[in-house]
């Protein structure tokens, strides 16, 4: 019974995006191990409080993630 754990910063992903994450990760496991894995594949999305995640020794916030995503879309 596979368990896939995903940690994200709070308020970055919408409920619809989280459902898509769950669906696509489950599909990935099924593509490797077969359809019999679908009903037993567990996906847990944990949200980390904004600022409680650090990158490069600096706290990383929800706003930082959104700014990074916006900069990737424009350039």
């Amino acid at each position: 019974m596979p368990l896939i754990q995903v940690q994200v910063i709070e308020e970055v992903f919408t409920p619809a995006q989280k459902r898509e994450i769950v669906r696509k990760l489950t599909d990935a496991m099924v593509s490797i191990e077969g359809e019999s894995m679908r009903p037993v594949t567990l996906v847990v999305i944990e949200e980390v409080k904004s600022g409680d995640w650090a990158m490069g020794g600096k706290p990383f916030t929800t706003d930082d993630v959104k700014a990074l995503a916006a900069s990737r879309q424009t350039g």
Side-chain angles (χ1 to χ4, degrees):
M1 181 160 62
L3 168 62
I4 303 167
Q5 294 179 300
V6 180
Q7 293 182 324
V8 297
I9 296 175
E10 67 182 354
E11 298 180 19
V12 170
F13 295 97
T14 66
Q17 288 171 315
K18 288 187 258 184
R19 285 191 299 273
E20 184 177 1
I21 290 168
V22 169
R23 182 180 54 78
K24 287 185 175 184
L25 289 175
T26 301
D27 288 347
M29 183 58 65
V30 168
S31 75
I32 295 165
E33 288 294 323
E35 193 60 40
S36 63
M37 283 289 109
R38 188 175 304 280
V40 296
T41 299
L42 304 170
V43 180
V44 176
I45 299 177
E46 298 176 87
E47 290 190 305
V48 177
K49 185 175 178 174
S50 180
D52 283 356
W53 192 303
M55 188 164 64
K58 297 179 182 179
F60 207 60
T61 66
T62 302
D63 290 338
D64 294 329
V65 174
K66 290 180 179 182
L68 182 62
S71 71
R72 287 188 177 181
Q73 290 175 357
T74 60

